[in-house]
Amino acid sequence: RSDAASTEALSADLGLDPARLLVFDQAFAQSPDGRRSALSALRGDLALNLDRPPGPGSLPAVLGAAGWSTLLFGPPSLAAAAGPDFGLASSVDREALAPALSGAVAGQEEPVFAFVHLPPAGPPLHATTTDARALQAAYRERVAELRRRIASLSAAFDRPDRPQILVLLGGSGAELGEHPDEPERLHDTRLRVPWLIGLRNGGGLPYGRFSALVQSADLAPTLLDFVDLRSQERRRGDGVERDGVSLEPLVQGWTVPPVHERLVFAGPSGVAVRTRTWKLSASVDAPWQLRRIGVRLHALDEDPGERSDLAVDRDLGPVGLGLLEALEERLQRPDLVTAAR
């Protein structure tokens, strides 16, 4: 989650200068399911169908077609879904990740793109206790283990003779048990994540801290634009044909926020749409048919914990209806209305 560790601590884990990072303070994973967020990041679009490979316009496919070596390290479920678009897809346990990554990149002469997905180290923290002190201690231990893993992976990938763009993007927010009675709700505590980008062994990448709303799907277009592998026609489809929007214009100073007026999230049994100040969530029936009954609406400035549902026993009003219609329109996009699990 976004408050797991400071920017300085994470930059040290990555071996990067904290003063020369791209930091996105309002970054959101598109699902509490890390696999769905990872697929969204690779596709540049919200992934509803978890069985569909990222596709020809995805990050690994475009890089592979341009002569890059593309590597995926993740759990079997992610390797099965995304593997066809990678040159190498490997499922290894956490202890073997760093040696496997080091061996895969050793001796590579062509550019290398390596995507490493670290699944949770264990079950949800509130699965065995609701004691606040025990939860905090378990959370600190899990964060420390994750940081050690990140540092080892960064060291394994290091090639001092090659410039490298390093990205740290959270796949979901680790739970502290804030909402144990609503384990499938799309609360911000499960979606706010850290997002850092930095360059080592080279120069030329912009840096700075940005507060625009950004999401998992922005990764693919951003990295492809950093290496100049997208046409102008493809760029014009950002935020229209797909959810992802390149952050290059933002970080280069060519445009000003907002990047997104709203973000869309998907969970095991529901969806949500969020602006800076409002959030609407709803349950869905397969395949991604929104239920208008039981819709929840929160004013985030007044209720950041999302505990006061403004839709209880009252009409949604113009703001809520506008968000509901935007969500319904989003779920009706033809390429996404497919059988999904």
Side-chain angles (χ1 to χ4, degrees), residues 69-85:
S69 176
T70 55
L71 315 172
L72 171 65
F73 295 91
S77 59
L78 179 62
D85 288 323

Side-chain angles (χ1 to χ4, degrees), residues 34-35 38-39 42 60 69-106 108 112-119 149 153-154 156-157:
R35 177 176 52 147
L39 288 169
L42 292 170
S69 176
T70 55
L71 315 172
L72 171 65
F73 295 91
S77 59
L78 179 62
D85 288 323
F86 282 85
L88 170 68
S90 178
S91 298
V92 295
D93 62 38
R94 295 170 77 89
E95 296 300 325
L97 265 175
L101 178 62
S102 179
V105 302
Q108 294 272 10
V112 177
F113 169 66
F115 188 91
V116 181
H117 176 65
L118 287 171
R149 196 72 59 193
L153 289 168
S154 177
F157 191 66

Side-chain angles (χ1 to χ4, degrees), residues 8-79:
E8 291 72 17
L10 293 173
S11 64
D13 297 339
L14 292 168
L16 296 171
D17 180 353
R20 302 184 69 85
L21 288 176
L22 289 169
V23 182
F24 301 98
D25 291 327
Q26 295 287 325
F28 288 80
Q30 289 191 262
S31 177
D33 176 358
R35 177 176 52 147
R36 192 183 304 278
S37 296
L39 288 169
S40 299
L42 292 170
R43 291 177 188 171
D45 204 5
L46 174 62
L48 293 186
N49 187 340
L50 297 180
D51 296 316
R52 181 171 66 84
S58 69
L59 184 53
V62 175
L63 291 173
W68 288 56
S69 176
T70 55
L71 315 172
L72 171 65
F73 295 91
S77 59
L78 179 62

Side-chain angles (χ1 to χ4, degrees), residues 1-2 27-33 37 170-175 185-194 214 216 264-267 272 274 279 306:
R1 48 189 276 171
S2 59
F28 288 80
Q30 289 191 262
S31 177
D33 176 358
S37 296
S172 68
E175 268 292 0
R185 290 286 182 188
L186 295 166
H187 292 285
D188 274 8
T189 50
R190 297 191 178 101
L191 300 170
R192 282 283 302 278
V193 293
V214 298
S216 306
V264 177
F265 312 105
R274 187 195 198 281
K279 188 171 184 181
E306 301 172 56

Side-chain angles (χ1 to χ4, degrees), residues 7 35 155 159 233 281 293 300 335:
T7 298
R35 177 176 52 147
R159 293 275 299 272
E233 180 181 1
S281 58
I293 298 175
L300 298 175
D335 60 321

Side-chain angles (χ1 to χ4, degrees), residues 7-8 28-29 32 35 52 64 93 97 128 144 161 171-172 177 184 189 196 230 242 245 290 292 295 302 326 328 330:
T7 298
E8 291 72 17
F28 288 80
R35 177 176 52 147
R52 181 171 66 84
D93 62 38
L97 265 175
T128 57
D161 59 325
S172 68
E184 295 189 351
T189 50
L196 314 175
R230 289 205 309 160
R242 67 201 72 89
V245 174
L290 188 146
R292 281 182 167 251
V295 169
E302 302 170 3
E328 287 181 321
R330 177 62 189 81

Side-chain angles (χ1 to χ4, degrees), residues 262 273 275 277-280 297-299 310 315-326:
R262 52 183 174 260
V273 57
T275 68
T277 55
W278 294 92
K279 188 171 184 181
L280 181 141
L297 180 67
H298 300 279
L310 299 179
D315 294 335
L316 285 176
V319 171
L321 286 173
L323 291 175
L324 184 63
E325 290 170 2

